[in-house]
Each structure stands twice: as structure tokens, then as C-alpha cells.
Amino acid sequence: MLNILRKNAQSVVVQALVVIIALVFIFWGGGSKMKDNPNALAVVNGKEIPYRDFQQSYERTVETYKQQFGGQLPPELLQGAELKEQVLNRLIQEELVRQGAEKAGIMISKEAIQRKIQEMAVFSVNGRFDLANYKAVLSQNRLSPASFEAGIRNDLLTTRALRAIDSFTVVPAQEVQNWIGYIDHEIKLAYGAVQSDDYITQVQVTDEALAAWYETANSKYKSAPQRKLLYLAFPFKDDLGQVTVNDEAIQAYYHEHAETYGQPEKRRARHILFRVTGEDSPETKSAKKAQAEKVLARIKAGEDFAKLAGQFSEDMTKDKGGDLGFFARGQMVQPFEESVFALKKGEVSGVVETPFGFHLIKVEEIMPAKTQTLAEATPSIRKILEQKGVKAITFKRASSAYEAIIRAGSMAKYSETSGAHPVLKTGFFLQDAPPGEEGMAKDPAFAQAAFGLRKGELSSLVETANGYAILFVDDAKDSVVPELAAVRNQAIVDYKKEKSVELARAAAEEMLHKAKAHNEWPAGLARKESDYLKRNGATGAMPENLRQDAFTRVGREVFPEKVIANGTVFYLYQIIDSRQGKGEMDATKRRLLEQQLHEAEKNILMADWLGQLRKEAYIWTNARMLQ
């Protein structure tokens, strides 16, 4: 529960977008003209960032990284102050965005905050916002309505600031056309390959050369370490019968994790887009709006919306009758979203203007906000709580056995008196090939613990996904580098292969040198010709890096600057022809290109705006609190 409240009270929209322009704020440089404020971690233009806000954001960041790394966080990630500085920089950046939005005159009304809160499923009872439940949920999570609503206000303020930036983003039609021309450029190549395998027979092997080579390459012949264990296993499943989960615990968990069991209202809509760009004249804009109004009149007269969308819409959805599928709030530009969520099922909007042009919108279906009931969620919650509860029981059982081993003096002596809990044995095994076909020994934590011990060492309690284990290394084989004589046959094969690559590269470089000197295809190299190639798309048998290099040479030279390596094969090419394509692009690809250019331009505007805010800001940080 606390997670969803924090997410809604502290904007994550900014976190997703400002990562793109984070370079603006890599070095913040704490000011020295302001005395340390013991109650704040940072101050931005007089606005304090409390340490508690930083700590909550830091914990969320750590939890996010844990999920990305499958629950096991690399220790080096938390070492030093780098991660803490990243979190603090993000908080400072968010505060600058909010202050910049207020300075630009963006306001958030109390009504807007109320609507946002009323839409949150966590505060609903039977599908409707419940004030008593709202206060109770906040109280359970030690949040006051004032602080929570302030967080919602910040979230809305940030969202509207980003939408404002988006509304100023303009990509000229000529720029789009220039990119289409760039993408549509074509070249035709002659190319040939020098295969290293063809030079293996030319490699001469002498004892002296092989021995010298082995001195530098012997690490790849090093044997992997092995372990042989005695161990005790304490599976969680053996203790599940002792776990009791009552209804009160299930109910408490349900309320604590309510966000898991709810989904917001979603709507399925169609639209007809009459596209307008920032480069269009006022006359063009008026004509587009007039066209939208004429089509709206036809819809009101009874004509099919989907058919008209297929005929008139200038969006990639036209082939689907303008169908946008289901979406929730926050996924569409604001004017579009406000119109959709103000309509009833089957209703059609008036002409709606957005940064993309003019829209006609029809709401096809409404999927109400839904929260899984306590009764529906009870079976899954019971399993979760059983897994949590059994850990303590199994841990206690494993700890008792561990103490018994210590008292006995060794795992072997313990095994003589522990008939009720047999000691298991393994043969020698590698870390990436643990013993058994399934079970606890297959868990990565088990092998990691085993190979962290030396011969004769006893582990502490090892927690795995299925239970606890206690390991004793009965025997160990360390990594060793074999003598050349022991691996001579394989070493000769590897030596020849490596040297053949060197010979092939040298041969290819000599061919390229002659080709450039005489401005003709080198004799002795088989020549193939490609079809006309664009910058993207299929290349046939030709490697991708060859095409990429060739496009960088157009208009300069017909041969590459150096041979193109692709694994153990070396390529030469010659540009035979270069031409401009038709400069055409289908509507779907063009729309995607326009979106990509729009996003790139928006990021530039955002970076410039944040850079100016940073330049004008006075920022002080308490570096000692990060230590």
C-alpha cells in the first residue's frame, strides 16, 4: 500500500523522461555560500528537500534495481556515494521542473487534485471513492491528507509541464523530408571475402613457436575448480504444515498491497485525425478544421464512424477504422484524454484540437475500474503468507542443526548421531553444473556458497529459494594450468586457427592496398555484386558492418579505408553506384519517423529548459548526509 501512495505522491513521470537529458545534471557542484542546514539534504532556490524524501526515493531505487537483477543486488552498486548522488540529483531536478512550471504560470486547482485522488482504486469501495477509506488508508501508512495531496499536486504540475514542452515541439515538414531522403539513399556494391580457414594449411608449427604462444594463451586451458560436499537440506515444504494463516493476517496484507489487486478505468475509442503541423499555414489549419466539422456532420447524420475513419483519417489507425484499443488515463495527450473520459459509451465528441491536429472521437467501450475482492484474492495471499511464515520455522530448525554440528565438532561426527536428519553427499562437481537433477543443490546460492569455501570449511546457513542448507567441503580441486604436453594436440589446432586469422588479415590488407593504388578490383579475389541497398533492411549474404561502412564512404572514396572484419573473415568492397531513391515512405513508417523526430526535438527543448533553470538556480547540498 505504501508503495502506491508514494508513487502517486512523488512523480515518476519526470523520472522516466528526464533520464534522457540527465547529462545536463551530471555535476551539480554544491554551493559554498550558504551555511549548512541540518534539517535539509538540499535546498533549491530556498525550497528544502528533506532527508526523509531522499531516503524514500533511495529505497524505491534500490528496490527497482533488485527487481532488475532478479532479487540479488550486486554489492558494488551500493558501495560509495554514487547511487545516493544519483537519487539526490534526480530529486533536485524534479524540484527544478516544478519550480519552472510554476514560474511559467502552470496552476493546479484543488478540483484537479480531488479528481486525481478519486480515480485511485485504492480509495474506492464498491467502485466509488470513499472518504472514510481514504483517511483510513493514509492513516495506516502514516501519511497526512495534506502531505499526500501536496504530492499529487506535484505530480500533476510535473505532468502538465511536460505536456507544455510537448506542445511547443515542432518538426518542420522539410526536416521530415530530408530524413526520408537520407533513409532512402541507395548504393550498389562489389564485395569479396578473405576466409581465414583458407590459410590454415600455410601455418607452420615449430616447437619453439608453439611453446612461446602457449605461454600467453595457457589460461584458456585452465581447469575449472571442483567441490565435493557433505550437506544438510531443510526444505520449506517440510514445515508448511506448521504455518497458520488467520483471516486477520490475510485482510491486513490485502489492504497493505491494495494496488496489486486494482486496475484503473480503461476506455476503448476510435478517432479520425485531420493532421496539422506547426509548419502549416493558418489557412491550412482552418481548412482542416472545416473538413473535420463536415465529417462530424456526416457522423451525426448516421454514417458509420469506422468507415469514415478509413476514408478520412490521417493516422496509422485508419486501416482499423481508427481503433485505438483500450487505454487508461495518462496515456494520451491531455485534450484528447479529457474528451474521451467525458464521453459516455457510444457518444461522439465535437472537434478536439491537440498538437497533432483535429480529432473526432467515439467511445466504443468502457471498462470500469475494478478491484479484486478480498475473497477472490484470499487463496493467493494465503500462499504468500505461508511462504513468509514458514521461513522462520525452517530457519529455527536449521539453526538447531547447525548448533548440533558445532557441538559435535564436525559434520562427519554429527552424521553419526543424526539419524533423523541424514547428511547428504555429492561427488565432485563444477559451479555451473551443480549435483542432482533438481532441488536445493540446483539453486545458484547453493553453488555460490560451496565455491566460496575451501576444503575442510563449514558454511553458515545458506538460504535458497526452496529452503536452507548447511555445507561442508569434504574435498576440493583447484584450478590448474596443464603442461603443454597434456593439451598439445588441441593447442596445435588452436594455434593454427589463430595464426591463420593473422595471415588472412595481412592478405586482405595487401589486396586493399593494391586496389586503392590501381583503382581497380584486386586480382585473385572472387567478386560478388549486391543489389541496390538502403541504409536499413536486408543485406543478403553481406555482413551488416560492411554496409554501414560503405555508406560512410559515399562521395569520398569507392574502397574502404581498411578491411572489414566479421569474425575470422575479412571483407573488401567497392562502391559501384550511388543514387537517390524515390523519396517515398508508407504512412505507417512516416508516422513512426515523425514520432521519433518529435521525441528527439522534445528532448532537446527539455534539456535546454532544464539547463536554463539550472543556470539560474541557487542549489546547496549537504554532502555530509550522503556519507
Side-chain angles (χ1 to χ4, degrees):
M1 176 71 73
L2 189 55
N3 285 337
I4 191 173
L5 299 180
R6 287 173 175 167
K7 286 177 183 176
N8 282 277
Q10 182 66 36
S11 172
V12 295
V13 179
V14 174
Q15 297 176 18
L17 291 178
V18 298
V19 164
I20 303 171
I21 43 77
L23 288 176
V24 178
F25 301 101
I26 288 178
F27 300 105
W28 288 95
S32 60
K33 297 180 181 179
M34 184 174 181
K35 293 182 179 179
D36 291 357
N37 183 342
N39 298 318
L41 182 59
V43 179
V44 182
N45 293 326
K47 175 68 174 180
E48 293 184 359
I49 297 178
Y51 184 80
R52 65 177 179 275
D53 290 355
F54 163 80
Q55 189 61 36
Q56 291 174 356
S57 183
Y58 179 76
E59 290 172 358
R60 288 197 302 272
T61 302
V62 170
E63 184 60 32
T64 299
Y65 278 128
K66 282 184 178 179
Q67 293 174 4
Q68 292 175 351
F69 286 98
Q72 298 292 329
L73 198 62
E76 60 271 15
L77 192 65
L78 299 179
Q79 293 174 357
E82 185 176 347
L83 182 58
K84 291 182 178 180
E85 290 174 355
Q86 290 177 11
V87 173
L88 175 59
N89 290 346
R90 187 173 67 232
L91 292 175
I92 293 173
Q93 189 163 291
E94 291 173 2
E95 182 56 38
L96 282 172
V97 171
R98 287 192 288 268
Q99 292 182 15
E102 291 175 340
K103 187 177 180 180
I106 299 175
M107 307 295 292
I108 304 297
S109 66
K110 291 183 178 180
E111 291 75 14
I113 296 173
Q114 290 173 354
R115 285 197 302 271
K116 180 67 175 179
I117 293 173
Q118 289 172 357
E119 292 165 3
M120 295 172 63
V122 68
F123 301 131
S124 297
V125 175
N126 297 324
R128 297 175 62 87
F129 175 78
D130 185 89
L131 181 60
N133 185 43
Y134 170 66
K135 293 180 178 180
V137 170
L138 293 186
S139 177
Q140 290 172 6
N141 292 279
R142 300 178 182 177
L143 290 172
S144 68
S147 64
F148 182 70
E149 289 163 17
I152 294 296
R153 175 187 175 277
N154 288 339
D155 191 10
L156 293 173
L157 188 64
T158 298
T159 301
R160 292 189 182 179
L162 296 176
R163 286 175 176 169
I165 292 289
D166 187 75
S167 69
F168 284 108
T169 304
V170 176
V171 179
Q174 186 58 51
E175 182 177 349
V176 175
Q177 199 59 44
N178 290 342
W179 274 100
I180 291 175
Y182 174 82
I183 294 169
D184 204 38
H185 191 193
E186 298 176 337
I187 58 175
K188 186 179 181 69
L189 303 177
Y191 67 99
V194 179
Q195 304 279 350
S196 61
D197 288 348
D198 295 340
Y199 290 81
I200 287 181
T201 57
Q202 299 183 26
V203 178
Q204 300 297 316
V205 182
T206 65
D207 291 342
E208 293 78 8
L210 184 63
W213 173 83
Y214 188 73
E215 285 296 318
T216 63
N218 59 21
S219 61
K220 71 186 228 178
Y221 300 95
K222 190 176 183 179
S223 64
Q226 299 182 53
R227 293 291 184 269
K228 183 178 181 182
L229 303 179
L230 301 177
Y231 72 99
L232 295 175
F234 303 89
F236 293 137
K237 64 181 181 180
D238 292 352
D239 299 317
L240 279 176
Q242 301 180 48
V243 180
T244 301
V245 178
N246 56 40
D247 293 341
E248 290 76 12
I250 293 174
Q251 187 173 10
Y253 184 92
Y254 175 80
H255 288 299
E256 178 70 17
H257 300 82
E259 72 274 15
T260 306
Y261 304 104
Q263 68 177 39
E265 177 185 333
K266 293 183 179 181
R267 296 193 171 204
R268 175 172 163 256
R270 297 180 187 272
H271 81 136
I272 304 173
L273 172 63
F274 302 86
R275 188 177 301 284
V276 176
T277 71
E279 295 297 303
D280 289 333
S281 65
E283 293 76 15
T284 299
K285 187 174 181 180
S286 297
K288 290 277 187 171
K289 185 175 183 180
Q291 184 186 16
E293 290 170 343
K294 289 181 181 178
V295 174
L296 177 61
R298 293 174 62 174
I299 293 171
K300 290 182 176 180
E303 291 193 47
D304 185 81
F305 190 101
K307 289 183 178 180
L308 291 172
Q311 183 179 353
F312 292 101
S313 184
E314 298 175 271
D315 184 65
M316 65 180 68
T317 60
K318 66 178 297 181
D319 295 336
K320 300 187 295 181
D323 194 350
L324 294 165
F326 281 98
F327 55 88
R329 289 184 183 272
Q331 295 180 247
M332 299 292 179
V333 292
Q334 188 174 8
F336 192 98
E337 176 184 292
E338 290 176 351
S339 178
V340 169
F341 283 86
L343 295 171
K344 296 179 181 178
K345 180 179 178 180
E347 287 186 339
V348 177
S349 71
V351 177
V352 179
E353 183 177 1
T354 76
F356 300 102
F358 298 101
H359 306 255
L360 302 177
I361 309 168
K362 180 181 180 181
V363 174
E364 294 283 3
E365 295 180 66
I366 298 177
M367 185 184 298
K370 180 182 178 182
T371 300
Q372 190 177 11
T373 66
L374 175 60
E376 292 170 336
T378 290
S380 62
I381 294 176
R382 186 180 299 280
K383 289 182 179 179
I384 293 171
L385 295 180
E386 284 176 347
Q387 289 297 321
K388 288 185 174 182
V390 78
K391 275 193 173 185
I393 297 172
T394 305
F395 180 83
K396 184 176 180 181
R397 187 160 61 92
S399 296
S400 297
Y402 193 86
E403 293 172 1
I405 293 171
I406 300 301
R407 288 195 300 270
S410 70
M411 181 79 81
K413 290 183 179 179
Y414 169 82
S415 66
E416 296 173 0
T417 60
S418 60
H421 202 106
V423 175
L424 304 174
K425 299 180 180 181
T426 74
F428 280 106
F429 65 92
L430 303 173
Q431 185 166 357
D432 59 359
E437 297 182 359
E438 58 182 15
M440 197 174 299
K442 285 293 185 183
D443 192 290
F446 184 97
Q448 184 176 357
F451 284 84
L453 301 170
R454 293 191 294 268
K455 180 179 178 179
E457 288 187 338
L458 181 71
S459 73
S460 57
L461 291 185
V462 178
E463 182 178 353
T464 73
N466 300 316
Y468 291 97
I470 303 172
L471 317 181
F472 175 76
V473 179
D474 191 39
D475 202 354
K477 292 181 180 179
D478 296 326
S479 298
V480 294
V481 176
E483 294 294 331
L484 174 58
V487 293
R488 182 180 178 84
N489 290 340
Q490 184 60 48
I492 290 175
V493 171
D494 296 340
Y495 174 81
K496 284 186 173 182
K497 188 168 186 178
E498 184 174 311
K499 294 303 177 181
S500 70
V501 173
E502 296 175 6
L503 292 175
R505 179 186 290 276
E509 289 174 348
E510 178 63 20
M511 291 178 186
L512 177 60
H513 175 73
K514 291 180 179 179
K516 296 176 76 171
H518 298 93
N519 196 30
E520 63 181 14
W521 189 255
L525 180 62
R527 182 178 183 274
K528 298 179 181 179
E529 284 192 10
S530 73
D531 295 327
Y532 278 96
L533 304 171
K534 294 185 182 295
R535 296 179 188 273
N536 295 297
T539 61
M542 183 189 303
E544 174 62 26
N545 59 339
L546 191 153
R547 171 174 61 179
Q548 292 177 357
D549 189 81
F551 269 103
T552 67
R553 307 292 289 173
V554 173
R556 298 163 59 195
E557 293 184 33
V558 297
F559 290 105
E561 181 180 0
K562 58 184 180 180
V563 298
I564 309 300
N566 188 55
T568 61
V569 182
F570 301 93
Y571 287 87
L572 278 68
Y573 67 78
Q574 180 181 13
I575 300 174
I576 301 173
D577 192 18
S578 172
R579 71 183 187 185
Q580 194 61 45
K582 297 179 181 179
E584 298 176 353
M585 182 177 286
D586 66 65
T588 299
K589 291 182 179 179
R590 184 185 181 98
R591 174 61 180 151
L592 179 60
L593 174 61
E594 289 174 347
Q595 289 175 341
Q596 291 171 339
L597 295 176
H598 182 89
E599 285 299 313
E601 184 65 23
K602 182 173 69 175
N603 292 337
I604 293 172
L605 285 178
M606 174 67 77
D608 289 345
W609 182 54
L610 286 173
Q612 187 62 32
L613 291 176
R614 173 69 182 95
K615 183 178 179 181
E616 297 172 352
Y618 189 86
I619 301 170
W620 169 84
T621 60
N622 189 341
R624 290 184 309 220
M625 298 182 75
L626 291 180
Q627 297 175 355

